[in-house]
Amino acid sequence: MMGLSPFGWCVIVLVALAAMGLPIGLSMVGASIFYLLAAGLDPGTAAEQILNGLYNSYVLLAVPLFILAADLMNTGSLTDRLLKFCLVLVGRFRGGLGHVNVVSNVIFAGMSGSAIADAVGIGRIIIGMMTRGGKYPVAYAAAITASAAIIGPIIPPSIPMVIYALVSDASIGYLFLGGVVPGLILGVAFMVMNAVISRRRNYPVEPPVRLREVPRVTVEAFPALLLPIILLVGIYGGVMTPTEGAAAAAAYALLAAALIYRALSGRQVYGVLLSSAKATTSVGMLIAGALAFNYVVTVENIPVSVQHFVGGFHLSKVGFLLLVNLILLVLGCLLEGTTILLIIVPIFIPAVKALGIDTVHFGVVVVVNIMIGLLTPPFGLLLFVVANMTKQPLLAIVRECVPFIAAAIAVLALITFVPETVLWLPRVMGYKG
C-alpha cells in the first residue's frame, strides 16, 4: 500500500479519524481494526483485547468509584464545609482566598482523584468568593483555581495513577504514597507564588474568623475531613485494596451528604449517578481503544524498538527522565492526559526497567507531567473548564497561569532530580523498590 507498512497506515487512519471529530477512543479502535485487516490478522482480536482488558482488570473498578465519590462530594455540600474550614486556617493572610483555594484543593485531593472534579466542585464556589466585590481579578481567580486543581490527582487517591498502574504493573498503593510529598510540595509552591503575587498587587487581607466560631466550623467540616483519613488508614493499614477504598469513599460520601449534612435529595442522587456514568463511559471508551491499540503496538514490537533507540544514545537515568519530561510536556499541550497514559507511556516502560528507574518514581513524574499539560495551551483542559465557568477570555487566564506553570515545572524538576521526594514515604511504609 504505497510503500507504507500496515502500522504506518494504522497511524494515518488514527490521525484522520481523530481529525474528523471521532472520539479518540473510537479512533483507536477503528485504526486497530484497520491494522489487523491490513496485516492479515483476525479483526476479532480487537474485541478480544478490549473484553479481556476491561473484564480481567479489577483495578479499573476504582475509576468509576472515585468519579462517583467526587460527584457526591460536590453535590452534597462537603465542598462548602471544607472551604469554610480552610478559610479559618489561612484566610487571614494577604491573598488569603488564594491560599484557601490551594489548601482546599490539597484537602479535597485526598478524596477525589480527578483534577476536573476538583476544579468544578471547588471552583464554582471559591471563584465567586474571590471575585465578589472586586477583591481579585476574575482571570486570576480562574487561573489559581485551575492550577490548584492539578494537585488532586497527585495526592492520593488518583485516577491517573490507577491507569498508570494498569499499563506498568506498578503497585497502586505505593504509587499513591509516592504522590503525597510531591503533591504537598506543589501546594506550598503555589501558596508561595500566590503570596508573592498578592503582595505585589496588594490583594486584600480577609478579616480573621472569630475565635468562638472556630470550633463550630471545625465540627461542621469534620465528617468531610474524615474521608481522606478513612481512605489512607484503610488502604495502608491493609484493611482494603485501593479499589475497595474507592467503593468506601463513594459510600461514605453518600452517607455523609445524605444523612449527616442532609444536603442530598433522591433527585440529586439520580443526577449524580447519571453524570458519573457519563464520565465513566468517556474514560472507559478511551481505555477500550487503548487496549486494542496497545495490542497493535506490541505486535509491531514498538516498545523494544524504542528501548534500542534510547540505548543508542547511552542516556543516564537522569538524561532519560529529562527526555521523557520534554516529550510529555510537549504532548501535554496537544493530547488529553489519559490518551498519553494509555498510548505513549507504555512505550517507555521497557526502557525504564532496562535503565533501572523505579516504576513508582517514574509513575509520579509522569502524572505530574500530565497534570501540567492540563494547564498548557492549546489543549489545556482545565483552562477551558475555568474559562467556561468565568466567561473570561482564554488568553487572559493563560497569562495569569504562567507563574503557577513555572512553579509546577520547578517542582517537576525537583522530583525528577531527587527521587527520594517520591520514594521516601513508600519506603517508610515497606516499599523495597
Side-chain angles (χ1 to χ4, degrees):
M1 290 186 291
M2 293 175 60
L4 279 178
S5 67
F7 184 71
W9 280 106
C10 173
V11 173
I12 290 173
V13 169
L14 172 59
V15 172
L17 291 174
M20 287 189 291
L22 195 68
I24 188 66
L26 291 175
S27 299
M28 286 189 285
V29 172
S32 302
I33 293 173
F34 179 89
Y35 169 85
L36 293 170
L37 289 169
L41 301 173
D42 180 8
T45 305
E48 180 186 359
Q49 292 298 313
I50 291 171
L51 291 173
N52 285 341
L54 290 176
Y55 290 109
N56 291 336
S57 182
Y58 174 66
V59 69
L60 279 181
L61 279 175
V63 174
L65 291 168
F66 280 133
I67 291 173
L68 177 60
D71 284 351
L72 284 167
M73 285 183 284
N74 286 336
T75 307
S77 88
L78 276 76
T79 305
D80 300 7
R81 320 279 175 160
L82 285 174
L83 282 172
K84 290 176 183 175
F85 177 73
C86 294
L87 192 60
V88 169
L89 291 181
V90 293
R92 65 186 64 208
F93 304 110
R94 184 163 301 281
L97 287 178
H99 294 318
V100 168
N101 202 328
V102 176
V103 172
S104 59
N105 271 281
V106 169
I107 296 173
F108 206 72
M111 312 176 197
S112 150
S114 165
I116 304 299
D118 289 4
V120 173
I122 294 174
R124 286 178 178 159
I125 304 167
I126 191 65
I127 289 174
M129 291 169 63
M130 292 182 72
T131 56
R132 193 175 298 123
K135 293 178 181 177
Y136 296 79
V138 179
Y140 181 77
I144 193 171
T145 298
S147 302
I150 72 170
I151 298 170
I154 298 171
I155 295 177
S158 167
I159 292 173
M161 286 183 185
V162 171
I163 296 172
Y164 172 81
L166 174 70
V167 301
S168 68
D169 292 326
S171 162
I172 300 179
Y174 289 128
L175 276 168
F176 280 5
L177 283 172
V180 172
V181 173
L184 293 175
I185 294 172
L186 191 60
V188 171
F190 285 164
M191 290 180 74
V192 169
M193 191 60 67
N194 175 64
V196 170
I197 294 171
S198 298
R199 188 165 296 278
R200 185 180 302 157
R201 299 181 183 177
N202 200 30
Y203 287 153
V205 177
E206 297 301 307
V209 177
R210 293 177 184 174
L211 197 60
R212 65 185 182 194
E213 294 289 314
V214 173
R216 180 185 61 80
V217 173
T218 305
V219 168
E220 286 182 354
F222 183 74
L225 293 169
L226 204 57
L227 179 51
I229 297 171
I230 292 171
L231 264 178
L232 292 175
V233 171
I235 292 172
Y236 303 117
V239 178
M240 50 193 172
T241 66
T243 302
E244 291 164 347
Y252 182 85
L254 176 62
L255 291 174
L259 300 182
I260 299 175
Y261 293 133
R262 300 185 182 278
L264 205 60
S265 66
R267 184 181 294 275
Q268 287 175 310
V269 171
Y270 173 77
V272 166
L273 292 173
L274 193 61
S275 65
S276 299
K278 288 178 180 176
T280 300
T281 302
S282 176
V283 175
M285 195 65 246
L286 272 173
I287 293 172
L291 289 168
F293 191 76
N294 283 344
Y295 175 77
V296 173
V297 169
T298 303
V299 169
E300 286 289 314
N301 227 13
I302 301 297
V304 175
S305 300
V306 171
Q307 182 180 336
H308 290 157
F309 176 75
V310 171
F313 288 99
H314 305 291
L315 292 174
S316 64
K317 292 181 183 180
V318 172
F320 175 77
L321 287 172
L322 287 174
L323 177 63
V324 170
N325 280 341
L326 180 62
I327 292 170
L328 294 183
L329 286 173
V330 172
L331 289 177
C333 299
L334 306 170
L335 296 174
E336 196 269 334
T338 306
T339 305
I340 296 172
L341 274 171
L342 292 169
I343 298 179
I344 307 300
V345 172
I347 296 172
F348 293 131
I349 297 300
V352 167
K353 293 178 178 177
L355 287 168
I357 297 170
D358 188 276
T359 52
V360 168
H361 176 228
F362 184 70
V364 175
V365 168
V366 165
V367 170
V368 173
N369 267 291
I370 288 170
M371 291 304 103
I372 294 172
L374 292 175
L375 293 176
T376 50
F379 191 82
L381 196 54
L382 282 171
L383 299 175
F384 292 103
V385 169
V386 296
N388 183 61
M389 281 196 293
T390 59
K391 309 304 179 189
Q392 288 292 295
L394 194 63
L395 186 59
I397 296 173
V398 170
R399 274 199 300 264
E400 295 286 11
C401 272
V402 168
F404 297 103
I405 294 172
I409 291 175
V411 173
L412 174 62
L414 175 65
I415 67 172
T416 298
F417 289 118
V418 188
E420 283 305 307
T421 52
V422 174
L423 297 175
W424 171 75
L425 189 56
R427 284 174 177 159
V428 167
M429 299 299 289
Y431 180 55
K432 303 299 181 184

